[in-house]
Amino acid sequence: MSVPHAVTPDKIMQLGLGFWGSKTFLSAIELGVFTALSDGPLDAQALQDRLQLHPRSTRDFLDALVALGMLQRDGTTYSNTPETAQFLVRGKPGYLGGMLEMANQRLYPFWGSLTEALHTGLPQNEMKTGGQGLFETIYGDPERLRLFLSAMTGLSMGAAMAIAGKFPWKEYQSVVDVGGAQGGLLVQLCLAHQHLKGINFDLPVVEPIFEEYVAMNELSDRLKFVPGSFFETEIPSGDVITMGHILHDWSLDEKRMLLDKAYRALPDGGALIIFEALIDDERRQNAFGLLMSLNMLIETPGGFDYTGADCSGWMREAGFRETRVEHLIGPDSMVVAIK
Ligand SMILES: C[S@@+](CC[C@H](N)C(=O)[O-])C[C@H]1O[C@@H](n2cnc3c(N)ncnc32)[C@H](O)[C@@H]1O
């Protein structure tokens, strides 16, 4: 006889008050807790002084971060975990805090208006009060731009390495990354495949940050930047075209326009690789992909995330003859289409 399953409210309460943990962690990044610990462990008093915490908050704040798995404590001294040491120390390559600092400053308050977005279907970011769109807002401030682009490198690194390993690159000579940001994917591809040459086609303001990152990786002879907007010009030609975390920013018509442009830019036999947090075809499991789509509701006039089957269908309608979906890492998968 099976033991009856006790019904408890644990899951409900954990999810309903999940923002407590999230906001504690985002405030820790804002205050620079993990950066303060980059040179070694500190005790509560030293952290309180350095971060200008009120004595009433210090222990609960730091110990909550320990309980949440974002700090370690040995006796009375606190230190970074391997993850926070690698990804949340400001100034380190691959720093993810830039993305989370923006989440704290912008998304946290904007998500407070989710119910309104659910009713109206309208963005709840700066656009709501007559401000500019997502990229114009981020790119209007050079420091934000730099943080965003390097955070994209960190965020997409796992997927980039998986794409370098899983796709048959030896059959192709050149790759064009559309909206390639700092060049995270192109650098991984070129490090793994000596014969490849690549182009990053992105907005002009991205160029110096791309050039700097590529030079740091000693790949300036194989990786070039073509400035432009995919709304205004054709996509440069190459044997393979990649688009990472691009299509979900845009409406269905805009997605189709980008797929059409990719098709025109490829030779017969060329490949298009789309990758992002694809929603599972049953729309039941990839909570991150589904929540990302709600984030697109908050951030854009028409953007939404989609399943591998959705994307394959649009690709075939654009003219591609073969498509396949492959999981990459975490919530990210890729859809490969052959012209
Ligand atoms: C979310 S980021 C994705 C970065 C990168 N592909 C990745 O997966 O990590 C979107 C990229 O699209 C670029 N982008 C936005 N609008 C664009 C446009 N109109 N033309 C070309 N690139 C654009 C941005 O500059 C940014 O690099």
Side-chain angles (χ1 to χ4, degrees), residues 135 139 152 156 179 181 202-203 206 228-231 244-246 275:
F135 290 111
Y139 288 13
M152 282 314 305
S156 299
D202 206 317
L203 298 170
V206 173
S229 165
F230 44 59
F231 288 113
H245 307 98
I246 302 293
F275 69 99

Side-chain angles (χ1 to χ4, degrees), residues 33-110:
V33 171
F34 309 107
T35 306
L37 291 170
S38 60
D39 291 332
L42 292 172
D43 66 16
Q45 186 63 50
L47 280 166
Q48 179 177 301
D49 295 344
R50 179 119 28 131
L51 306 173
Q52 299 184 324
L53 300 173
H54 190 279
R56 187 178 168 206
S57 73
T58 305
R59 270 187 75 207
D60 289 345
F61 177 50
L62 297 174
D63 290 340
L65 291 166
V66 172
L68 291 167
M70 292 295 134
L71 283 183
Q72 291 169 342
R73 193 187 63 212
D74 185 9
T76 55
T77 58
Y78 296 87
S79 57
N80 277 323
T81 67
E83 290 87 3
T84 60
Q86 178 154 345
F87 295 115
L88 293 178
V89 173
R90 280 190 192 122
K92 263 196 162 183
Y95 175 61
L96 284 184
M99 183 63 79
L100 295 172
E101 282 174 42
M102 267 188 279
N104 187 38
Q105 278 169 22
R106 298 179 61 256
L107 295 182
Y108 188 79
F110 298 153

Side-chain angles (χ1 to χ4, degrees), residues 152-169:
M152 282 314 305
T153 303
L155 273 178
S156 299
M157 184 61 78
M161 291 166 93
I163 294 170
K166 286 189 173 199
F167 184 77
W169 289 102

